[in-house]
Amino acid sequence: MSYKTRKFQLISGDLMPLIGFGTFQIRGQQLIKDVLNWALAAGYRAIDTAAVYGNESDIGLALKDLLPKYNLQREDLFITSKLSPSDQGDKACDAVAASIKNLQCDYLDLYLIHWPGASGVPTESEVNAKLRSASWQSLIKAKDEGLVRNIGVSNYTVRHLTELLNSSYGVKPAVNQVEWHPGCHQDDLKQLCVQEGILLQAYSSLGGTGNKNLIRDPTVINIALKLGKSPAQILLCWAVQQNIAIIPKARAKERIDANIDLDFVIAEEDMTALSNRKHERFAWDPTKVH
C-alpha cells in the first residue's frame, strides 16, 4: 500500500492517515485556500491545525468551498485541532466547541492537549499537572458528547504520558504528537507509545530553520542523491518507514506534492546513519514542565 493512502488504526478503531497536511504558521484566507486546494489535489486527507495557529476559521471557509470541488464529504477528511495552553483545565470542552465552530464542522476527528503546561504557570509548578489532568477529564466529556471522536496529547514526554496512563480516567490518548526527526527522537517514548497502542506523530520533521534545517545535513544530502529524492523527502520517509505519522507543511505546490510522494525505501544502513545524528531539539522543550 502506498504511504499516500496508508492509515493507522487508532485505539478507537478509527483510521487516521499516516501523512497529514500541517498548517502551522500558514495564515491568510487566500493562502490557506491555495495550500488546501493543492493538498487535496495531491491526495492529502488529513489536516492538522490548532487554536494557537490562528487559522481555524480560514480553514473552515476554505473547506466549505473545496470539498464539493473534489467530490468529498466531511467524513472523507481527518481533522485535528489542539487545546491552547491558555485553556488548560475545565475550559477544554468549551475550547473543542469553539474550534468546531471556527472550522464549520460538526465534530473533530482528533483533539490534542497541545502542551503539558499552562499559560502563566511556571514550568516547575505542580499546578501544571493538575490543570492538564482537568483538561483530560474535560476532553473525555467532549468525546462522550460526540464533539470529538478521538483525544490525545502533544509534546508529552515519557513522564507526562506515564502520569496520564496511570490515572484512573480509563481513556488512553490516541496520539502523541511530538518533535521527531533524526536529530530528536526518543526511543523510550516510541517504545511506550507502541506498547500502549498510541500513534506517535512527528512535527518539525525537517528540523529547525536556517542553518539548523536538516535538509542541509551532509548525511541527508548524500542519501537523497543516492535515491534521486529531495533531502526533505528523505527526512519524511525516515519517519513513515518507522510507522511514525507526519504532518509536513508547505506553501508551494511542488513541495506539497513532493511531501506526500514517499513511495521509496531507505536502506537499513542509511536509516541507522540518519538515526545516529547528534541529538538536537529545535522546537519547544517540554522536559522541564512539571
Side-chain angles (χ1 to χ4, degrees):
M1 180 185 292
S2 167
Y3 284 127
K4 183 182 290 190
T5 56
R6 186 170 299 183
K7 297 181 179 181
F8 183 93
Q9 186 170 336
L10 301 176
I11 293 171
S12 65
D14 288 349
L15 297 176
M16 178 177 173
L18 201 61
I19 302 178
F21 185 74
T23 64
F24 176 55
Q25 294 182 329
I26 302 179
R27 293 188 181 185
Q29 189 172 326
Q30 189 57 52
L31 178 59
I32 284 288
K33 188 169 184 179
D34 286 343
V35 298
L36 289 182
N37 181 33
W38 297 327
L40 293 175
Y44 293 83
R45 292 297 179 263
I47 298 170
D48 180 274
T49 184
V52 297
Y53 294 175
N55 59 16
E56 288 179 328
S57 294
D58 287 336
I59 290 173
L61 286 171
L63 291 179
K64 189 175 182 181
D65 289 339
L66 292 173
L67 288 182
K69 176 179 178 179
Y70 291 99
N71 197 28
L72 295 171
Q73 304 296 321
R74 164 65 184 92
E75 55 268 26
D76 295 319
L77 293 186
F78 193 101
I79 301 177
T80 300
S81 194
K82 311 180 194 76
L83 179 72
S84 168
S86 63
D87 289 325
Q88 282 274 37
D90 298 331
K91 300 178 289 185
C93 190
D94 292 337
V96 175
S99 287
I100 289 172
K101 181 178 179 181
N102 288 337
L103 288 160
Q104 298 189 41
C105 55
D106 297 327
Y107 67 93
L108 294 175
D109 295 281
L110 176 65
Y111 195 81
L112 308 177
I113 295 178
H114 205 159
W115 182 248
S119 295
V121 178
T123 56
E124 68 276 8
S125 173
E126 294 182 1
V127 173
N128 288 302
K130 293 178 181 178
L131 286 173
R132 64 176 173 264
S133 175
S135 293
W136 192 250
Q137 293 176 75
S138 188
L139 293 187
I140 291 174
K141 178 184 175 185
K143 185 175 183 292
D144 290 341
E145 292 178 356
L147 296 176
V148 57
R149 294 179 61 96
N150 300 276
I151 55 177
V153 296
S154 180
N155 295 296
Y156 270 41
T157 64
V158 167
R159 177 170 56 83
H160 300 129
L161 201 53
T162 301
E163 170 194 85
L164 178 54
L165 292 169
N166 288 341
S167 71
S168 59
Y169 307 134
V171 179
K172 288 184 181 182
V175 171
N176 185 18
Q177 184 186 111
V178 298
E179 179 181 0
W180 193 276
H181 49 71
C184 180
H185 53 96
Q186 308 143 65
D187 292 338
D188 55 346
L189 180 61
K190 181 183 177 186
Q191 183 178 353
L192 178 59
C193 288
V194 171
Q195 175 185 313
E196 298 294 337
I198 299 168
L199 175 62
L200 191 62
Q201 186 176 48
Y203 73 78
S204 292
S205 294
L206 307 187
T209 58
N211 292 331
K212 293 185 176 181
N213 195 304
L214 294 178
I215 62 173
R216 295 176 173 82
D217 184 273
T219 300
V220 176
I221 292 172
N222 288 337
I223 296 170
L225 290 172
K226 184 192 305 184
L227 295 176
K229 301 295 179 180
S230 72
Q233 286 175 308
I234 297 300
L235 292 164
L236 295 171
C237 190
W238 173 85
V240 295
Q241 200 164 305
Q242 300 174 70
N243 209 34
I244 294 170
I246 57 173
I247 44 170
K249 66 178 183 184
R251 293 176 175 83
K253 182 181 185 302
E254 59 271 21
R255 291 183 180 177
I256 290 172
D257 291 341
N259 287 345
I260 200 173
D261 182 18
L262 304 177
D263 289 335
F264 59 94
V265 177
I266 300 174
E268 194 59 39
E269 62 268 24
D270 289 332
M271 289 287 289
T272 300
L274 289 168
S275 298
N276 286 343
R277 189 188 186 280
K278 178 184 175 182
H279 182 87
E280 189 173 9
R281 186 185 291 276
F282 299 115
W284 301 341
D285 183 0
T287 59
K288 297 177 183 178
V289 179
H290 191 282

